[in-house]
Coordinates of all heavy atoms in Angstrom, one line a residue:
Chain O
T164 N 7.8 9.5 22.5 CA 8.7 10.5 23.1 C 9.3 11.5 22.1 O 9.8 12.5 22.4 CB 10.0 9.7 23.7 OG1 10.7 9.0 22.7 CG2 9.5 8.7 24.8
R165 N 9.1 11.2 20.8 CA 9.4 12.2 19.8 C 8.6 13.5 19.9 O 8.9 14.5 19.3 CB 9.3 11.6 18.4 CG 10.2 10.5 18.1 CD 10.2 10.1 16.6 NE 10.8 8.9 16.3 CZ 12.1 8.6 16.3 NH1 12.9 9.6 16.5 NH2 12.5 7.4 16.0
F166 N 7.4 13.3 20.5 CA 6.4 14.4 20.5 C 6.1 14.9 21.9 O 6.2 16.0 22.2 CB 5.1 14.0 19.8 CG 5.3 13.3 18.5 CD1 5.3 11.9 18.4 CD2 5.6 14.0 17.4 CE1 5.5 11.3 17.2 CE2 5.8 13.4 16.2 CZ 5.7 12.0 16.1
A167 N 5.8 13.9 22.8 CA 5.4 14.2 24.1 C 6.5 14.7 25.0 O 7.7 14.4 24.8 CB 4.7 13.0 24.7
S168 N 6.2 15.5 26.1 CA 7.2 15.9 27.0 C 7.5 14.7 28.0 O 8.6 14.6 28.5 CB 6.7 17.1 27.8 OG 5.5 16.8 28.5
K169 N 6.5 13.8 28.2 CA 6.7 12.7 29.0 C 5.8 11.6 28.6 O 4.6 11.8 28.3 CB 6.5 13.1 30.5 CG 7.0 12.1 31.5 CD 6.4 12.3 32.9 CE 7.0 13.5 33.6 NZ 6.4 13.7 35.0
V170 N 6.2 10.3 28.7 CA 5.4 9.2 28.3 C 5.4 8.2 29.5 O 6.4 7.7 29.9 CB 5.9 8.5 27.1 CG1 5.1 7.2 26.8 CG2 5.9 9.4 25.8
I171 N 4.2 8.0 30.1 CA 4.1 7.2 31.3 C 3.4 5.9 30.9 O 2.3 5.9 30.5 CB 3.2 7.9 32.4 CG1 3.9 9.3 32.7 CG2 3.1 7.1 33.6 CD1 3.0 10.2 33.5
V172 N 4.2 4.8 31.0 CA 3.6 3.5 30.7 C 2.9 2.9 31.9 O 3.6 2.8 33.0 CB 4.7 2.5 30.2 CG1 4.1 1.1 30.0 CG2 5.4 3.1 28.9
I173 N 1.7 2.6 31.8 CA 0.9 2.0 33.0 C 0.7 0.6 32.7 O 0.0 0.2 31.7 CB -0.4 2.8 33.1 CG1 -0.1 4.3 33.4 CG2 -1.2 2.2 34.3 CD1 -1.3 5.1 33.3
H174 N 1.2 -0.3 33.6 CA 1.1 -1.7 33.3 C 0.5 -2.4 34.6 O 0.9 -2.1 35.7 CB 2.5 -2.3 33.0 CG 2.4 -3.7 32.5 ND1 1.4 -4.2 31.7 CD2 3.3 -4.8 32.7 CE1 1.7 -5.5 31.5 NE2 2.8 -5.9 32.1
R175 N -0.4 -3.4 34.3 CA -1.0 -4.0 35.5 C -0.1 -5.0 36.2 O -0.5 -5.5 37.3 CB -2.3 -4.7 35.0 CG -2.1 -5.8 34.0 CD -3.4 -6.4 33.5 NE -3.0 -7.2 32.3 CZ -3.9 -8.0 31.8 NH1 -5.1 -8.2 32.3 NH2 -3.5 -8.7 30.7
R176 N 1.0 -5.4 35.6 CA 1.9 -6.3 36.3 C 3.2 -5.5 36.8 O 3.3 -4.3 36.6 CB 2.4 -7.4 35.3 CG 1.2 -8.2 34.8 CD 1.7 -9.4 34.0 NE 0.6 -9.8 33.1 CZ -0.5 -10.4 33.4 NH1 -0.7 -10.7 34.7 NH2 -1.4 -10.8 32.5
D177 N 4.1 -6.3 37.4 CA 5.3 -5.6 37.9 C 6.5 -5.7 37.0 O 7.6 -5.3 37.3 CB 5.7 -6.1 39.4 CG 6.0 -7.5 39.4 OD1 6.0 -8.2 38.3 OD2 6.1 -8.1 40.5
Q178 N 6.3 -6.2 35.8 CA 7.3 -6.2 34.8 C 6.7 -6.2 33.4 O 5.5 -6.6 33.2 CB 8.3 -7.4 35.0 CG 7.6 -8.7 35.0 CD 8.6 -9.8 35.2 OE1 9.7 -9.6 35.5 NE2 8.1 -11.1 35.0
L179 N 7.5 -5.8 32.4 CA 7.0 -5.7 31.0 C 7.0 -7.1 30.4 O 7.8 -8.0 30.7 CB 7.8 -4.8 30.2 CG 7.9 -3.3 30.7 CD1 8.9 -2.6 29.9 CD2 6.5 -2.7 30.5
R180 N 6.0 -7.3 29.5 CA 6.1 -8.5 28.6 C 7.0 -8.3 27.4 O 7.3 -9.2 26.7 CB 4.7 -8.9 28.1 CG 3.9 -9.7 29.2 CD 2.5 -10.0 28.7 NE 1.7 -8.7 28.5 CZ 1.3 -8.1 27.4 NH1 1.6 -8.7 26.3 NH2 0.6 -7.0 27.4
A181 N 7.3 -7.0 27.1 CA 8.1 -6.6 26.0 C 9.5 -7.4 26.0 O 10.0 -7.7 27.0 CB 8.3 -5.1 25.9
T182 N 10.0 -7.6 24.8 CA 11.3 -8.3 24.7 C 12.4 -7.4 25.4 O 12.3 -6.2 25.4 CB 11.7 -8.5 23.2 OG1 11.5 -7.3 22.5 CG2 10.8 -9.6 22.6
K183 N 13.4 -8.1 25.8 CA 14.5 -7.6 26.7 C 15.1 -6.3 26.1 O 15.2 -5.3 26.7 CB 15.6 -8.6 26.8 CG 16.6 -8.4 27.9 CD 16.0 -8.6 29.3 CE 17.0 -8.2 30.4 NZ 16.4 -7.9 31.6
I184 N 15.5 -6.4 24.8 CA 16.2 -5.2 24.2 C 15.3 -4.0 24.1 O 15.7 -2.9 24.3 CB 16.7 -5.6 22.8 CG1 17.4 -4.4 22.1 CG2 15.6 -6.1 21.8 CD1 18.8 -4.6 21.7
I185 N 14.0 -4.2 23.9 CA 13.1 -3.1 23.8 C 12.9 -2.5 25.2 O 12.9 -1.3 25.4 CB 11.7 -3.6 23.3 CG1 11.9 -3.9 21.8 CG2 10.6 -2.6 23.5 CD1 10.6 -4.5 21.1
Q186 N 12.9 -3.4 26.2 CA 12.8 -2.9 27.6 C 14.0 -2.0 28.0 O 13.9 -1.0 28.5 CB 12.8 -4.1 28.6 CG 11.5 -4.9 28.6 CD 11.4 -5.8 29.8 OE1 11.8 -5.5 30.8 NE2 10.8 -7.0 29.5
E187 N 15.2 -2.5 27.6 CA 16.4 -1.8 28.0 C 16.4 -0.4 27.4 O 16.8 0.6 28.1 CB 17.6 -2.6 27.5 CG 18.0 -3.7 28.4 CD 19.0 -4.7 27.8 OE1 19.6 -4.3 26.7 OE2 19.3 -5.7 28.4
R188 N 16.0 -0.3 26.1 CA 16.0 1.0 25.5 C 15.0 1.9 26.2 O 15.2 3.1 26.3 CB 15.6 0.8 24.0 CG 16.9 0.8 23.1 CD 16.5 0.7 21.6 NE 16.1 -0.6 21.3 CZ 15.0 -1.0 20.8 NH1 14.0 -0.1 20.5 NH2 14.7 -2.2 20.5
A189 N 13.8 1.3 26.5 CA 12.8 2.1 27.2 C 13.2 2.6 28.5 O 13.1 3.8 28.8 CB 11.5 1.3 27.3
F190 N 13.9 1.8 29.3 CA 14.3 2.2 30.6 C 15.4 3.3 30.5 O 15.6 4.1 31.4 CB 14.9 1.0 31.4 CG 13.8 0.0 31.8 CD1 14.0 -1.4 31.8 CD2 12.5 0.4 32.2 CE1 13.0 -2.3 32.1 CE2 11.5 -0.5 32.5 CZ 11.8 -1.8 32.5
A191 N 16.2 3.2 29.4 CA 17.3 4.2 29.3 C 16.8 5.6 28.7 O 17.5 6.5 28.7 CB 18.3 3.6 28.3
N192 N 15.5 5.6 28.3 CA 15.0 6.9 27.7 C 14.5 7.8 28.8 O 13.6 7.5 29.5 CB 13.9 6.5 26.7 CG 13.4 7.7 25.9 OD1 13.3 8.8 26.5 ND2 13.2 7.5 24.7
P193 N 15.1 9.0 28.9 CA 14.8 9.9 30.1 C 13.3 10.4 30.0 O 12.8 10.8 31.0 CB 15.8 11.0 29.9 CG 16.2 11.0 28.5 CD 16.2 9.6 28.1
K194 N 12.7 10.3 28.8 CA 11.3 10.7 28.8 C 10.3 9.7 29.2 O 9.1 9.9 29.3 CB 11.0 11.2 27.3 CG 11.4 12.6 27.0 CD 10.8 13.0 25.7 CE 11.1 14.5 25.3 NZ 10.5 14.8 24.0
M195 N 10.8 8.4 29.4 CA 9.9 7.3 29.7 C 9.8 7.1 31.2 O 10.8 7.1 31.9 CB 10.4 6.0 29.1 CG 10.4 6.0 27.5 SD 8.8 5.7 26.8 CE 8.6 4.0 26.9
E196 N 8.5 7.0 31.7 CA 8.3 6.6 33.1 C 7.4 5.4 33.2 O 6.7 5.1 32.2 CB 7.7 7.7 33.9 CG 8.7 8.9 34.1 CD 8.0 10.0 34.9 OE1 7.0 9.8 35.6 OE2 8.6 11.1 34.9
F197 N 7.4 4.7 34.3 CA 6.6 3.5 34.4 C 5.8 3.4 35.7 O 6.4 3.8 36.8 CB 7.6 2.2 34.3 CG 8.2 2.1 33.0 CD1 9.4 2.8 32.7 CD2 7.7 1.3 32.0 CE1 10.0 2.7 31.5 CE2 8.3 1.2 30.8 CZ 9.4 1.9 30.5
I198 N 4.6 3.1 35.6 CA 3.8 2.9 36.8 C 3.4 1.4 36.8 O 2.7 0.9 35.9 CB 2.5 3.8 36.8 CG1 3.0 5.2 36.9 CG2 1.6 3.5 38.0 CD1 1.8 6.2 36.9
W199 N 3.8 0.6 37.8 CA 3.6 -0.8 37.8 C 2.4 -1.2 38.6 O 1.8 -0.4 39.4 CB 4.8 -1.5 38.4 CG 6.1 -1.1 37.8 CD1 7.1 -0.3 38.3 CD2 6.6 -1.6 36.5 NE1 8.1 -0.2 37.4 CE2 7.8 -1.0 36.3 CE3 6.0 -2.4 35.5 CZ2 8.6 -1.2 35.1 CZ3 6.8 -2.6 34.3 CH2 8.0 -2.0 34.1
D200 N 1.9 -2.4 38.4 CA 0.9 -3.1 39.2 C -0.4 -2.2 39.2 O -1.1 -2.2 40.2 CB 1.3 -3.3 40.7 CG 2.6 -4.2 40.7 OD1 2.6 -5.2 40.0 OD2 3.5 -3.9 41.5
T201 N -0.6 -1.5 38.1 CA -1.7 -0.5 38.1 C -2.6 -0.7 37.0 O -2.2 -0.9 35.8 CB -1.1 0.9 38.2 OG1 -0.3 1.0 39.4 CG2 -2.1 2.0 38.1
V202 N -3.9 -0.5 37.2 CA -4.9 -0.5 36.2 C -5.6 0.9 36.1 O -5.6 1.6 37.1 CB -6.0 -1.6 36.3 CG1 -5.4 -3.0 36.2 CG2 -6.7 -1.4 37.7
V203 N -6.1 1.2 34.9 CA -6.8 2.5 34.8 C -8.3 2.2 35.0 O -8.9 1.3 34.3 CB -6.6 3.1 33.4 CG1 -7.3 4.4 33.3 CG2 -5.1 3.3 33.2
E204 N -8.9 2.9 35.9 CA -10.4 2.6 36.2 C -11.3 3.5 35.4 O -12.4 3.2 35.1 CB -10.6 2.7 37.7 CG -9.9 1.6 38.4 CD -10.5 1.5 39.8 OE1 -10.6 2.5 40.5 OE2 -10.7 0.4 40.3
A205 N -10.8 4.7 35.1 CA -11.7 5.7 34.3 C -10.8 6.7 33.6 O -9.7 7.0 34.1 CB -12.6 6.4 35.3
I206 N -11.3 7.2 32.5 CA -10.7 8.3 31.8 C -11.6 9.5 31.9 O -12.8 9.4 31.6 CB -10.5 7.9 30.3 CG1 -9.6 6.7 30.2 CG2 -9.9 9.1 29.5 CD1 -9.5 6.0 28.8
E207 N -11.1 10.6 32.4 CA -11.9 11.7 32.6 C -11.4 13.0 31.9 O -10.2 13.1 31.6 CB -12.0 12.0 34.1 CG -12.7 10.9 34.9 CD -12.6 11.1 36.4 OE1 -11.9 12.0 36.9 OE2 -13.2 10.2 37.1
G208 N -12.2 14.0 31.7 CA -11.8 15.2 31.1 C -13.1 16.1 30.9 O -14.1 15.8 31.5
N209 N -12.8 17.1 30.1 CA -13.9 18.0 29.8 C -14.2 17.9 28.3 O -14.9 17.0 27.9 CB -13.5 19.4 30.2 CG -14.7 20.3 30.3 OD1 -15.8 20.0 29.8 ND2 -14.5 21.5 30.9
E210 N -13.6 18.7 27.5 CA -13.7 18.5 26.0 C -12.8 17.4 25.6 O -13.1 16.6 24.7 CB -13.3 19.8 25.3 CG -14.1 21.0 25.5 CD -15.4 20.9 24.7 OE1 -15.3 21.0 23.5 OE2 -16.5 20.8 25.3
V211 N -11.6 17.4 26.2 CA -10.6 16.3 25.9 C -10.1 15.7 27.2 O -10.5 16.1 28.3 CB -9.4 17.0 25.2 CG1 -9.8 17.5 23.8 CG2 -8.8 18.1 26.0
V212 N -9.3 14.6 27.0 CA -8.8 13.9 28.2 C -8.0 14.8 29.1 O -7.1 15.6 28.6 CB -8.0 12.7 27.7 CG1 -7.2 12.1 28.9 CG2 -8.8 11.7 27.1
Q213 N -8.2 14.7 30.4 CA -7.4 15.5 31.4 C -6.8 14.7 32.4 O -5.7 15.0 32.9 CB -8.3 16.6 32.0 CG -8.7 17.7 31.0 CD -9.7 18.7 31.6 OE1 -10.7 18.3 32.3 NE2 -9.6 20.0 31.3
R214 N -7.4 13.6 32.8 CA -6.8 12.7 33.8 C -7.3 11.3 33.8 O -8.3 11.0 33.2 CB -7.0 13.4 35.2 CG -8.5 13.4 35.6 CD -8.8 14.4 36.7 NE -10.2 14.7 36.7 CZ -10.8 15.6 36.0 NH1 -10.1 16.5 35.3 NH2 -12.1 15.8 36.0
L215 N -6.5 10.5 34.5 CA -6.9 9.0 34.6 C -7.1 8.7 36.1 O -6.3 9.2 36.9 CB -5.7 8.2 34.0 CG -5.3 8.4 32.6 CD1 -4.1 7.5 32.3 CD2 -6.4 8.3 31.6
Q216 N -8.0 7.8 36.3 CA -8.2 7.3 37.7 C -7.5 6.0 37.7 O -7.9 5.0 37.0 CB -9.7 7.2 38.1 CG -10.4 8.5 38.1 CD -9.9 9.5 39.1 OE1 -9.1 9.2 40.0 NE2 -10.3 10.8 38.9
L217 N -6.5 5.9 38.6 CA -5.6 4.6 38.7 C -5.9 3.9 39.9 O -6.3 4.4 41.0 CB -4.2 5.0 38.6 CG -3.7 5.9 37.5 CD1 -2.2 6.1 37.6 CD2 -4.0 5.4 36.2
K218 N -5.7 2.6 39.8 CA -5.8 1.7 41.1 C -4.6 0.8 41.1 O -4.4 0.0 40.1 CB -7.1 1.0 41.1 CG -7.2 0.1 42.4 CD -8.6 -0.6 42.4 CE -8.4 -2.1 42.5 NZ -9.7 -2.8 42.5
N219 N -3.9 0.7 42.1 CA -2.8 -0.2 42.3 C -3.4 -1.6 42.7 O -4.1 -1.6 43.7 CB -1.8 0.3 43.4 CG -0.6 -0.7 43.5 OD1 -0.8 -1.9 43.7 ND2 0.6 -0.1 43.4
V220 N -3.1 -2.6 41.9 CA -3.8 -3.9 42.1 C -3.2 -4.6 43.3 O -3.9 -5.6 43.8 CB -3.8 -4.8 40.9 CG1 -4.7 -4.2 39.8 CG2 -2.4 -5.0 40.4
K221 N -2.1 -4.3 43.8 CA -1.5 -4.9 44.9 C -1.9 -4.3 46.2 O -2.3 -4.9 47.2 CB 0.1 -5.0 44.9 CG 0.5 -6.0 43.8 CD 2.0 -6.3 43.9 CE 2.4 -7.4 42.9 NZ 3.8 -7.3 42.6
T222 N -1.8 -2.9 46.3 CA -2.2 -2.2 47.5 C -3.6 -1.7 47.6 O -4.1 -1.3 48.6 CB -1.3 -0.9 47.7 OG1 -1.6 -0.1 46.6 CG2 0.2 -1.3 47.6
Q223 N -4.3 -1.8 46.4 CA -5.6 -1.3 46.3 C -5.7 0.2 46.4 O -6.8 0.8 46.4 CB -6.6 -1.9 47.3 CG -6.6 -3.4 47.4 CD -6.9 -4.1 46.0 OE1 -7.9 -3.7 45.4 NE2 -6.2 -5.1 45.6
E224 N -4.6 0.9 46.5 CA -4.6 2.4 46.5 C -5.1 3.0 45.2 O -4.8 2.5 44.2 CB -3.2 2.9 46.8 CG -2.9 3.2 48.2 CD -1.4 3.6 48.3 OE1 -0.5 2.7 48.4 OE2 -1.1 4.8 48.3
R225 N -5.9 4.1 45.4 CA -6.3 4.8 44.2 C -5.6 6.1 44.1 O -5.3 6.8 45.1 CB -7.8 5.0 44.3 CG -8.6 3.7 44.0 CD -10.1 4.0 43.9 NE -10.7 2.9 43.2 CZ -11.2 1.8 43.8 NH1 -11.0 1.7 45.2 NH2 -11.7 0.8 43.2
R226 N -5.4 6.6 42.9 CA -4.8 8.0 42.7 C -5.3 8.5 41.4 O -5.8 7.8 40.5 CB -3.3 8.0 42.8 CG -2.7 7.0 41.8 CD -1.1 6.9 42.0 NE -0.5 8.0 41.2 CZ 0.7 7.9 40.7 NH1 1.4 6.8 40.8 NH2 1.2 8.9 39.9
T227 N -5.1 9.8 41.2 CA -5.4 10.5 39.9 C -4.1 10.9 39.2 O -3.2 11.3 39.9 CB -6.2 11.8 40.2 OG1 -7.4 11.4 40.9 CG2 -6.6 12.5 39.0
L228 N -4.1 10.7 37.9 CA -2.9 11.1 37.1 C -3.3 12.1 36.0 O -4.2 11.7 35.2 CB -2.3 9.8 36.5 CG -1.0 10.0 35.6 CD1 0.2 10.4 36.5 CD2 -0.7 8.8 34.8
E229 N -2.7 13.2 36.0 CA -3.0 14.2 35.0 C -2.3 13.9 33.7 O -1.1 13.7 33.7 CB -2.5 15.6 35.4 CG -3.0 16.1 36.8 CD -4.3 16.9 36.7 OE1 -4.4 17.6 35.7 OE2 -5.1 16.8 37.7
V230 N -3.0 13.7 32.6 CA -2.4 13.5 31.3 C -3.2 14.2 30.2 O -4.3 14.6 30.4 CB -2.5 12.0 30.9 CG1 -1.6 11.1 31.9 CG2 -3.9 11.5 30.8
G231 N -2.5 14.5 29.1 CA -3.1 15.1 28.0 C -3.6 14.1 26.9 O -4.3 14.5 26.0
G232 N -3.2 12.9 27.1 CA -3.7 11.9 26.2 C -3.4 10.5 26.7 O -2.5 10.3 27.6
V233 N -4.0 9.5 26.1 CA -3.8 8.1 26.5 C -3.9 7.2 25.3 O -4.8 7.2 24.5 CB -4.8 7.7 27.7 CG1 -6.2 8.0 27.3 CG2 -4.6 6.3 28.1
F234 N -2.8 6.4 25.2 CA -2.7 5.4 24.1 C -2.9 4.0 24.6 O -2.2 3.6 25.5 CB -1.4 5.6 23.4 CG -1.3 6.8 22.6 CD1 -1.0 8.1 23.2 CD2 -1.5 6.8 21.2 CE1 -1.0 9.3 22.4 CE2 -1.4 8.0 20.4 CZ -1.2 9.2 21.1
V235 N -3.8 3.3 24.1 CA -4.2 2.0 24.6 C -3.6 0.9 23.7 O -3.9 0.8 22.5 CB -5.7 1.8 24.7 CG1 -6.1 0.5 25.2 CG2 -6.3 2.9 25.5
Y236 N -2.7 0.1 24.3 CA -2.1 -1.0 23.5 C -2.2 -2.3 24.3 O -1.2 -2.9 24.8 CB -0.6 -0.7 23.2 CG -0.4 0.2 22.1 CD1 -0.1 1.5 22.3 CD2 -0.6 -0.2 20.7 CE1 0.0 2.4 21.2 CE2 -0.5 0.6 19.7 CZ -0.2 1.9 19.9 OH -0.1 2.8 18.8
V237 N -3.5 -2.8 24.4 CA -3.6 -4.1 25.2 C -4.1 -5.2 24.3 O -4.6 -6.2 24.7 CB -4.7 -3.9 26.3 CG1 -4.1 -2.9 27.3 CG2 -6.0 -3.4 25.8
G238 N -3.8 -5.1 23.0 CA -4.1 -6.2 22.0 C -4.9 -5.7 20.8 O -5.5 -4.7 20.8
L239 N -4.8 -6.6 19.8 CA -5.5 -6.4 18.5 C -6.3 -7.6 18.2 O -5.8 -8.7 18.3 CB -4.5 -6.2 17.4 CG -4.1 -4.8 17.0 CD1 -3.2 -4.9 15.8 CD2 -5.3 -3.9 16.7
R240 N -7.6 -7.5 17.9 CA -8.3 -8.7 17.6 C -8.7 -8.6 16.1 O -9.7 -8.0 15.7 CB -9.6 -8.7 18.5 CG -10.1 -10.1 18.7 CD -11.3 -10.0 19.7 NE -12.2 -9.0 19.3 CZ -13.2 -9.0 18.4 NH1 -13.3 -10.2 17.7 NH2 -13.9 -8.0 18.1

Side-chain angles (χ1 to χ4, degrees):
Chain O
T164 63
R165 297 192 194 281
F166 313 99
S168 58
K169 195 193 286 183
V170 175
I171 304 167
V172 177
I173 301 168
H174 189 37
R175 60 183 167 165
R176 303 188 200 286
D177 60 6
Q178 56 182 10
L179 298 173
R180 279 177 292 109
T182 49
K183 195 76 186 157
I184 177 121
I185 291 177
Q186 290 194 35
E187 280 168 8
R188 263 183 284 124
F190 293 142
N192 188 320
K194 279 190 174 180
M195 296 282 280
E196 291 184 13
F197 295 84
I198 297 179
W199 305 107
D200 300 316
T201 297
V202 294
V203 180
E204 292 194 315
I206 299 170
E207 296 174 353
N209 196 347
E210 296 283 295
V211 296
V212 169
Q213 291 173 317
R214 62 196 165 273
L215 306 178
Q216 297 300 345
L217 307 184
K218 183 177 119 179
N219 185 304
V220 292
K221 285 193 177 156
T222 64
Q223 310 300 316
E224 264 176 275
R225 288 191 161 82
R226 55 183 275 211
T227 297
L228 181 72
E229 308 266 327
V230 296
V233 52
F234 288 78
V235 181
Y236 281 104
V237 295
L239 265 185
R240 205 177 47 80

